[in-house]
Amino acid sequence: MSLNYSAAHSSRITKKRTSTLKRSTSSPFATLPRRKPIQRSKSKPEPSTHDGEDRFDQRLEDLGIVTTLVPHLPLKGVVEVVQYANSSMFEPMPERGGFNSTRIAEILNFRKSLPTTATVAHVHALSKSPTVTEREIAQLAGANVLRKIIVPGRGTGASTVSESLVLFTDLETMLDRAEAVDATLKEKLLQHLRSQPLSQNISAASFDPSEISSLKRAGFLTSSIPHTNPSIHPTISSTHSTSLSTISRAASGSLAAVGGSAAIVEAGGTLGLRRSSAQYESPSPADRTSDLQLGLPHTGPYLRLLTDARTHLISLIHQTGNFREMPMYLLRERWDGGTAGNDPASRAKKLRGEFAGVLPAKSRKWKHFWGLTFGWVLAECVGSGMVELFETGSVGLGLRVP
C-alpha cells in the first residue's frame, strides 16, 4: 500500500474561485454584511387635531347663574315678547346657500304653515320676573289680548311644551286663512272666545255637531284630556286580570303574566276597531256632552320641531366632555354646522377660492330644522330648565346641562 500523497489533494487547501457575474463596485462598504434598520420609537407623540377644541377636560369658571335671556333691546311686556319669539324663529333664506327652487319652496311653505304662537317657557326665558310675567299673562287673557293654548300629554315636568300663548289678532288671522270654515262659524267661535276669556274649555253644547266636525278638521278645536270617561276606560280593581297583584302571581312567560287574552278589552280597548268616516262626521254622544279645547292648526309639526331641536342642542353639549358644559359661542358654531358666513371676510375667501365653510343646504340646521335660529332654541331650553346659563368672565356666557 502506497503512502505517497501530495498536498494538492488535501481538503485543507482550497482555491479561491472568482465569479464572472460579480459586479464591480467602488464602495468600501459593499463587502460588509447587511443589517435591518433599527426601529426607533418617537420620543413625543404627535398632537391630535380633534382634542382640545372638541372636549373640555376642565370645568369652566362659574361666576354666577344667569336666569334669563334678556335681548339687547329690552322688550316691554308679554305681547312684545311673543311677537319677538315669532319673528326670530327662523333665519332668512341665504342668497347662495346651495338650495334649489324646490327646496326653497318647501322651506317657505313649511314656515308659513306653522302657527304663530310662543310657548310659556320661551316667554319666561325672555322675561326678567316669572311672577310679574304670569300676572301680566292673566291680565292680558282677561282683556282678550292673548289666549293660552293647552295641549295635554306633551312632556312632563319642567320640560313640558303643553302650554303656549297666541295673540288674539294672530288667532283671527289664522281663522281668516281657513277656507274650509264658513265665515259665520268663524265669527261664532270668536264671539264665544270673547265671552269666556279665561276659560280653557269650550262647551260642546254651544256648537252643532257639523260645526264641531268642521272646526276639528281645520284644527281649531280638539277633544279634552283623553281617558277621563269612566264608562269608556273603567278603573282596574285588585281582582282584575290586568291588576299588578294578579300579574305578579302568574308564571313567567305565560299568557296570564301579560293580563290574559282579554287584557285589551278589560282595560277599555276596542281591539283595533277603527271609526268610519261617517262616525267622524257625526260625533258620538260622549263627544257632544264632553268639553272641547281651543287648538291651532299644524300644532303637531310645531311641537315636533321644537322637541327635536331641543334634543339636538342638548346632544351637542353632551359631546364636549364629562362636565357637560361649553361656551355659548362654541355651541352656536356647532348649531350652525360650520356654514359659510356672510361677513366681508367670508365673502373675500369665496372670491379667492379658499374654504370658508360648508354650504347651508348641507348642514343639519337647514336639512332637518328648516333654518331655526340658535337663540330661539336656546330660549326654549333655558325656559324649560334643560340648560343653565352662567357667567365665565373669560369666554362670555357658558352653558351647562344640569
Side-chain angles (χ1 to χ4, degrees), residues 1 9 36 67 69 83-84 146 154 178 195 197 209 211 224 227 245 254 257 298 310 312 323 358 390 394:
M1 182 176 179
H9 299 282
K36 294 183 179 180
T67 57
L69 277 173
Q83 293 174 348
Y84 176 80
L146 55 81
R154 291 283 183 171
S195 62
E211 295 175 344
S224 184
H227 311 318
S245 58
S254 62
H298 303 279
R310 293 193 316 184
H312 178 60
F323 300 109
V358 299
F390 60 95
S394 57

PDB file of all heavy atoms in Angstrom, residues 1 9 36 67 69 83-84 146 154 178 195 197 209 211 224 227 245 254 257 298 310 312 323 358 390 394:
ATOM      1  N   MET A   1       0.864  -1.201   0.000  1.00  0.00           N
ATOM      2  CA  MET A   1       0.000   0.000   0.000  1.00  0.00           C
ATOM      3  C   MET A   1       0.877   1.220   0.000  1.00  0.00           C
ATOM      4  O   MET A   1       1.753   1.379   0.830  1.00  0.00           O
ATOM      5  CB  MET A   1      -0.899   0.003   1.230  1.00  0.00           C
ATOM      6  CG  MET A   1      -1.849   1.172   1.276  1.00  0.00           C
ATOM      7  SD  MET A   1      -2.951   1.054   2.677  1.00  0.00           S
ATOM      8  CE  MET A   1      -3.827   2.553   2.404  1.00  0.00           C
ATOM      9  N   HIS A   9      -3.969  17.276  -3.148  1.00  0.00           N
ATOM     10  CA  HIS A   9      -5.207  16.531  -2.941  1.00  0.00           C
ATOM     11  C   HIS A   9      -5.773  16.683  -1.545  1.00  0.00           C
ATOM     12  O   HIS A   9      -6.750  16.041  -1.198  1.00  0.00           O
ATOM     13  CB  HIS A   9      -4.952  15.052  -3.234  1.00  0.00           C
ATOM     14  CG  HIS A   9      -4.505  14.795  -4.646  1.00  0.00           C
ATOM     15  ND1 HIS A   9      -5.390  14.776  -5.706  1.00  0.00           N
ATOM     16  CD2 HIS A   9      -3.262  14.570  -5.155  1.00  0.00           C
ATOM     17  CE1 HIS A   9      -4.732  14.538  -6.829  1.00  0.00           C
ATOM     18  NE2 HIS A   9      -3.415  14.407  -6.522  1.00  0.00           N
ATOM     19  N   LYS A  36     -30.766  44.968   9.224  1.00  0.00           N
ATOM     20  CA  LYS A  36     -32.044  45.671   9.157  1.00  0.00           C
ATOM     21  C   LYS A  36     -31.967  46.981   9.933  1.00  0.00           C
ATOM     22  O   LYS A  36     -31.286  47.074  10.941  1.00  0.00           O
ATOM     23  CB  LYS A  36     -33.163  44.808   9.737  1.00  0.00           C
ATOM     24  CG  LYS A  36     -33.433  43.557   8.923  1.00  0.00           C
ATOM     25  CD  LYS A  36     -34.592  42.787   9.523  1.00  0.00           C
ATOM     26  CE  LYS A  36     -34.882  41.551   8.687  1.00  0.00           C
ATOM     27  NZ  LYS A  36     -36.021  40.782   9.253  1.00  0.00           N
ATOM     28  N   THR A  67     -80.239  83.868  34.906  1.00  0.00           N
ATOM     29  CA  THR A  67     -81.572  83.254  34.929  1.00  0.00           C
ATOM     30  C   THR A  67     -82.389  83.511  33.673  1.00  0.00           C
ATOM     31  O   THR A  67     -83.260  82.724  33.334  1.00  0.00           O
ATOM     32  CB  THR A  67     -82.359  83.754  36.144  1.00  0.00           C
ATOM     33  OG1 THR A  67     -82.439  85.192  36.097  1.00  0.00           O
ATOM     34  CG2 THR A  67     -81.671  83.320  37.434  1.00  0.00           C
ATOM     35  N   LEU A  69     -82.675  85.237  29.455  1.00  0.00           N
ATOM     36  CA  LEU A  69     -82.011  85.649  28.209  1.00  0.00           C
ATOM     37  C   LEU A  69     -82.669  86.935  27.731  1.00  0.00           C
ATOM     38  O   LEU A  69     -83.442  86.937  26.764  1.00  0.00           O
ATOM     39  CB  LEU A  69     -82.153  84.553  27.145  1.00  0.00           C
ATOM     40  CG  LEU A  69     -81.154  83.401  27.185  1.00  0.00           C
ATOM     41  CD1 LEU A  69     -81.558  82.341  26.166  1.00  0.00           C
ATOM     42  CD2 LEU A  69     -79.764  83.891  26.874  1.00  0.00           C
ATOM     43  N   GLN A  83     -94.304  88.501  20.108  1.00  0.00           N
ATOM     44  CA  GLN A  83     -94.007  88.945  18.750  1.00  0.00           C
ATOM     45  C   GLN A  83     -92.531  88.740  18.403  1.00  0.00           C
ATOM     46  O   GLN A  83     -92.199  88.345  17.280  1.00  0.00           O
ATOM     47  CB  GLN A  83     -94.391  90.416  18.590  1.00  0.00           C
ATOM     48  CG  GLN A  83     -95.882  90.677  18.682  1.00  0.00           C
ATOM     49  CD  GLN A  83     -96.221  92.156  18.657  1.00  0.00           C
ATOM     50  OE1 GLN A  83     -95.344  93.012  18.786  1.00  0.00           O
ATOM     51  NE2 GLN A  83     -97.499  92.472  18.508  1.00  0.00           N
ATOM     52  N   TYR A  84     -91.658  88.990  19.368  1.00  0.00           N
ATOM     53  CA  TYR A  84     -90.230  88.779  19.128  1.00  0.00           C
ATOM     54  C   TYR A  84     -89.911  87.296  18.943  1.00  0.00           C
ATOM     55  O   TYR A  84     -89.086  86.923  18.088  1.00  0.00           O
ATOM     56  CB  TYR A  84     -89.427  89.348  20.295  1.00  0.00           C
ATOM     57  CG  TYR A  84     -87.943  89.096  20.200  1.00  0.00           C
ATOM     58  CD1 TYR A  84     -87.129  89.893  19.395  1.00  0.00           C
ATOM     59  CD2 TYR A  84     -87.337  88.059  20.909  1.00  0.00           C
ATOM     60  CE1 TYR A  84     -85.766  89.668  19.297  1.00  0.00           C
ATOM     61  CE2 TYR A  84     -85.983  87.827  20.820  1.00  0.00           C
ATOM     62  CZ  TYR A  84     -85.199  88.630  20.016  1.00  0.00           C
ATOM     63  OH  TYR A  84     -83.849  88.388  19.923  1.00  0.00           O
ATOM     64  N   LEU A 146    -104.630  88.107  24.437  1.00  0.00           N
ATOM     65  CA  LEU A 146    -103.998  86.857  24.051  1.00  0.00           C
ATOM     66  C   LEU A 146    -104.791  85.695  24.620  1.00  0.00           C
ATOM     67  O   LEU A 146    -105.695  85.871  25.444  1.00  0.00           O
ATOM     68  CB  LEU A 146    -102.531  86.795  24.497  1.00  0.00           C
ATOM     69  CG  LEU A 146    -102.179  87.025  25.974  1.00  0.00           C
ATOM     70  CD1 LEU A 146    -102.379  85.791  26.829  1.00  0.00           C
ATOM     71  CD2 LEU A 146    -100.733  87.480  26.087  1.00  0.00           C
ATOM     72  N   ARG A 154     -98.107  66.429  26.351  1.00  0.00           N
ATOM     73  CA  ARG A 154     -96.898  66.813  25.646  1.00  0.00           C
ATOM     74  C   ARG A 154     -95.812  67.131  26.660  1.00  0.00           C
ATOM     75  O   ARG A 154     -95.632  68.273  27.077  1.00  0.00           O
ATOM     76  CB  ARG A 154     -97.147  68.037  24.754  1.00  0.00           C
ATOM     77  CG  ARG A 154     -98.034  67.753  23.576  1.00  0.00           C
ATOM     78  CD  ARG A 154     -97.276  67.010  22.491  1.00  0.00           C
ATOM     79  NE  ARG A 154     -98.112  66.791  21.315  1.00  0.00           N
ATOM     80  CZ  ARG A 154     -97.655  66.330  20.165  1.00  0.00           C
ATOM     81  NH1 ARG A 154     -96.384  66.033  20.044  1.00  0.00           N
ATOM     82  NH2 ARG A 154     -98.475  66.136  19.155  1.00  0.00           N
ATOM     83  N   ALA A 178    -108.366  80.028   7.041  1.00  0.00           N
ATOM     84  CA  ALA A 178    -109.004  78.709   6.973  1.00  0.00           C
ATOM     85  C   ALA A 178    -110.177  78.777   5.994  1.00  0.00           C
ATOM     86  O   ALA A 178    -111.256  79.295   6.317  1.00  0.00           O
ATOM     87  CB  ALA A 178    -109.464  78.265   8.355  1.00  0.00           C
ATOM     88  N   SER A 195    -116.483  85.922  24.939  1.00  0.00           N
ATOM     89  CA  SER A 195    -117.397  85.874  26.087  1.00  0.00           C
ATOM     90  C   SER A 195    -116.812  85.118  27.273  1.00  0.00           C
ATOM     91  O   SER A 195    -117.213  85.341  28.412  1.00  0.00           O
ATOM     92  CB  SER A 195    -118.726  85.233  25.673  1.00  0.00           C
ATOM     93  OG  SER A 195    -118.510  83.894  25.247  1.00  0.00           O
ATOM     94  N   PRO A 197    -113.138  84.647  28.304  1.00  0.00           N
ATOM     95  CA  PRO A 197    -111.705  84.849  28.027  1.00  0.00           C
ATOM     96  C   PRO A 197    -110.775  83.971  28.857  1.00  0.00           C
ATOM     97  O   PRO A 197    -109.707  83.589  28.388  1.00  0.00           O
ATOM     98  CB  PRO A 197    -111.496  86.331  28.351  1.00  0.00           C
ATOM     99  CG  PRO A 197    -112.572  86.667  29.332  1.00  0.00           C
ATOM    100  CD  PRO A 197    -113.741  85.818  28.964  1.00  0.00           C
ATOM    101  N   PRO A 209    -123.196  69.611  15.884  1.00  0.00           N
ATOM    102  CA  PRO A 209    -122.239  68.546  15.544  1.00  0.00           C
ATOM    103  C   PRO A 209    -121.491  68.791  14.246  1.00  0.00           C
ATOM    104  O   PRO A 209    -120.297  68.501  14.147  1.00  0.00           O
ATOM    105  CB  PRO A 209    -123.129  67.299  15.462  1.00  0.00           C
ATOM    106  CG  PRO A 209    -124.294  67.601  16.336  1.00  0.00           C
ATOM    107  CD  PRO A 209    -124.533  69.074  16.198  1.00  0.00           C
ATOM    108  N   GLU A 211    -120.750  71.729  13.000  1.00  0.00           N
ATOM    109  CA  GLU A 211    -119.792  72.801  13.254  1.00  0.00           C
ATOM    110  C   GLU A 211    -118.576  72.295  14.022  1.00  0.00           C
ATOM    111  O   GLU A 211    -117.446  72.713  13.745  1.00  0.00           O
ATOM    112  CB  GLU A 211    -120.483  73.928  14.027  1.00  0.00           C
ATOM    113  CG  GLU A 211    -121.585  74.619  13.256  1.00  0.00           C
ATOM    114  CD  GLU A 211    -122.313  75.650  14.092  1.00  0.00           C
ATOM    115  OE1 GLU A 211    -122.172  75.604  15.344  1.00  0.00           O
ATOM    116  OE2 GLU A 211    -123.018  76.498  13.521  1.00  0.00           O
ATOM    117  N   SER A 224    -111.047  67.135  24.747  1.00  0.00           N
ATOM    118  CA  SER A 224    -110.483  67.410  26.050  1.00  0.00           C
ATOM    119  C   SER A 224    -109.477  66.327  26.412  1.00  0.00           C
ATOM    120  O   SER A 224    -109.129  65.463  25.610  1.00  0.00           O
ATOM    121  CB  SER A 224    -111.592  67.495  27.097  1.00  0.00           C
ATOM    122  OG  SER A 224    -111.064  67.864  28.351  1.00  0.00           O
ATOM    123  N   HIS A 227    -109.042  59.816  28.019  1.00  0.00           N
ATOM    124  CA  HIS A 227    -109.093  58.763  29.030  1.00  0.00           C
ATOM    125  C   HIS A 227    -109.613  59.280  30.382  1.00  0.00           C
ATOM    126  O   HIS A 227    -109.084  58.975  31.428  1.00  0.00           O
ATOM    127  CB  HIS A 227    -107.734  58.113  29.244  1.00  0.00           C
ATOM    128  CG  HIS A 227    -107.073  57.716  27.977  1.00  0.00           C
ATOM    129  ND1 HIS A 227    -107.759  57.134  26.943  1.00  0.00           N
ATOM    130  CD2 HIS A 227    -105.778  57.827  27.573  1.00  0.00           C
ATOM    131  CE1 HIS A 227    -106.919  56.869  25.950  1.00  0.00           C
ATOM    132  NE2 HIS A 227    -105.724  57.290  26.292  1.00  0.00           N
ATOM    133  N   SER A 245    -101.395  42.736  41.231  1.00  0.00           N
ATOM    134  CA  SER A 245    -101.374  41.583  42.132  1.00  0.00           C
ATOM    135  C   SER A 245    -101.640  40.281  41.375  1.00  0.00           C
ATOM    136  O   SER A 245    -101.051  39.236  41.684  1.00  0.00           O
ATOM    137  CB  SER A 245    -102.420  41.764  43.240  1.00  0.00           C
ATOM    138  OG  SER A 245    -103.715  41.920  42.668  1.00  0.00           O
ATOM    139  N   SER A 254     -96.096  33.071  30.694  1.00  0.00           N
ATOM    140  CA  SER A 254     -97.450  32.613  30.390  1.00  0.00           C
ATOM    141  C   SER A 254     -98.301  33.773  29.900  1.00  0.00           C
ATOM    142  O   SER A 254     -97.930  34.939  29.986  1.00  0.00           O
ATOM    143  CB  SER A 254     -98.080  31.970  31.633  1.00  0.00           C
ATOM    144  OG  SER A 254     -98.195  32.931  32.682  1.00  0.00           O
ATOM    145  N   ALA A 257     -99.358  36.302  32.548  1.00  0.00           N
ATOM    146  CA  ALA A 257     -98.365  37.272  33.001  1.00  0.00           C
ATOM    147  C   ALA A 257     -98.496  38.607  32.284  1.00  0.00           C
ATOM    148  O   ALA A 257     -97.944  39.603  32.744  1.00  0.00           O
ATOM    149  CB  ALA A 257     -96.959  36.708  32.797  1.00  0.00           C
ATOM    150  N   HIS A 298    -101.836  72.783  12.637  1.00  0.00           N
ATOM    151  CA  HIS A 298    -100.445  72.343  12.497  1.00  0.00           C
ATOM    152  C   HIS A 298     -99.663  72.509  13.806  1.00  0.00           C
ATOM    153  O   HIS A 298     -98.474  72.834  13.786  1.00  0.00           O
ATOM    154  CB  HIS A 298     -99.747  73.114  11.367  1.00  0.00           C
ATOM    155  CG  HIS A 298    -100.427  72.983  10.044  1.00  0.00           C
ATOM    156  ND1 HIS A 298    -100.263  71.887   9.228  1.00  0.00           N
ATOM    157  CD2 HIS A 298    -101.286  73.817   9.393  1.00  0.00           C
ATOM    158  CE1 HIS A 298    -100.983  72.048   8.121  1.00  0.00           C
ATOM    159  NE2 HIS A 298    -101.617  73.201   8.197  1.00  0.00           N
ATOM    160  N   ARG A 310     -84.573  70.875  20.561  1.00  0.00           N
ATOM    161  CA  ARG A 310     -84.047  70.881  21.927  1.00  0.00           C
ATOM    162  C   ARG A 310     -83.180  69.649  22.191  1.00  0.00           C
ATOM    163  O   ARG A 310     -82.119  69.749  22.818  1.00  0.00           O
ATOM    164  CB  ARG A 310     -85.192  70.942  22.936  1.00  0.00           C
ATOM    165  CG  ARG A 310     -85.977  72.226  22.923  1.00  0.00           C
ATOM    166  CD  ARG A 310     -86.872  72.365  24.134  1.00  0.00           C
ATOM    167  NE  ARG A 310     -87.600  71.142  24.468  1.00  0.00           N
ATOM    168  CZ  ARG A 310     -88.497  71.068  25.432  1.00  0.00           C
ATOM    169  NH1 ARG A 310     -88.776  72.140  26.151  1.00  0.00           N
ATOM    170  NH2 ARG A 310     -89.133  69.932  25.676  1.00  0.00           N
ATOM    171  N   HIS A 312     -81.472  67.925  20.007  1.00  0.00           N
ATOM    172  CA  HIS A 312     -80.203  68.052  19.279  1.00  0.00           C
ATOM    173  C   HIS A 312     -79.265  69.032  19.971  1.00  0.00           C
ATOM    174  O   HIS A 312     -78.050  68.797  20.033  1.00  0.00           O
ATOM    175  CB  HIS A 312     -80.486  68.509  17.849  1.00  0.00           C
ATOM    176  CG  HIS A 312     -79.255  68.712  17.025  1.00  0.00           C
ATOM    177  ND1 HIS A 312     -78.351  67.702  16.757  1.00  0.00           N
ATOM    178  CD2 HIS A 312     -78.749  69.823  16.420  1.00  0.00           C
ATOM    179  CE1 HIS A 312     -77.365  68.168  16.011  1.00  0.00           C
ATOM    180  NE2 HIS A 312     -77.581  69.451  15.806  1.00  0.00           N
ATOM    181  N   PHE A 323     -68.078  67.027  31.841  1.00  0.00           N
ATOM    182  CA  PHE A 323     -68.724  68.060  32.653  1.00  0.00           C
ATOM    183  C   PHE A 323     -69.986  68.612  32.006  1.00  0.00           C
ATOM    184  O   PHE A 323     -70.713  69.367  32.634  1.00  0.00           O
ATOM    185  CB  PHE A 323     -67.736  69.192  32.932  1.00  0.00           C
ATOM    186  CG  PHE A 323     -66.502  68.746  33.662  1.00  0.00           C
ATOM    187  CD1 PHE A 323     -65.274  68.698  33.029  1.00  0.00           C
ATOM    188  CD2 PHE A 323     -66.574  68.363  34.985  1.00  0.00           C
ATOM    189  CE1 PHE A 323     -64.137  68.282  33.695  1.00  0.00           C
ATOM    190  CE2 PHE A 323     -65.447  67.948  35.672  1.00  0.00           C
ATOM    191  CZ  PHE A 323     -64.222  67.902  35.023  1.00  0.00           C
ATOM    192  N   VAL A 358     -69.007  75.079   4.952  1.00  0.00           N
ATOM    193  CA  VAL A 358     -69.906  74.293   4.124  1.00  0.00           C
ATOM    194  C   VAL A 358     -71.105  75.140   3.722  1.00  0.00           C
ATOM    195  O   VAL A 358     -71.412  76.169   4.345  1.00  0.00           O
ATOM    196  CB  VAL A 358     -70.362  73.031   4.875  1.00  0.00           C
ATOM    197  CG1 VAL A 358     -69.187  72.155   5.222  1.00  0.00           C
ATOM    198  CG2 VAL A 358     -71.134  73.406   6.134  1.00  0.00           C
ATOM    199  N   PHE A 390     -74.476  80.502  32.801  1.00  0.00           N
ATOM    200  CA  PHE A 390     -73.639  81.070  33.856  1.00  0.00           C
ATOM    201  C   PHE A 390     -72.552  81.924  33.220  1.00  0.00           C
ATOM    202  O   PHE A 390     -72.158  81.728  32.061  1.00  0.00           O
ATOM    203  CB  PHE A 390     -73.016  79.970  34.732  1.00  0.00           C
ATOM    204  CG  PHE A 390     -72.129  79.007  33.987  1.00  0.00           C
ATOM    205  CD1 PHE A 390     -70.753  79.191  33.925  1.00  0.00           C
ATOM    206  CD2 PHE A 390     -72.678  77.912  33.349  1.00  0.00           C
ATOM    207  CE1 PHE A 390     -69.939  78.306  33.243  1.00  0.00           C
ATOM    208  CE2 PHE A 390     -71.872  77.013  32.662  1.00  0.00           C
ATOM    209  CZ  PHE A 390     -70.499  77.210  32.616  1.00  0.00           C
ATOM    210  N   SER A 394     -64.294  84.957  31.229  1.00  0.00           N
ATOM    211  CA  SER A 394     -63.202  84.921  30.261  1.00  0.00           C
ATOM    212  C   SER A 394     -63.682  84.631  28.845  1.00  0.00           C
ATOM    213  O   SER A 394     -63.186  85.215  27.878  1.00  0.00           O
ATOM    214  CB  SER A 394     -62.169  83.862  30.675  1.00  0.00           C
ATOM    215  OG  SER A 394     -62.790  82.596  30.799  1.00  0.00           O
TER     216      SER A 394
END
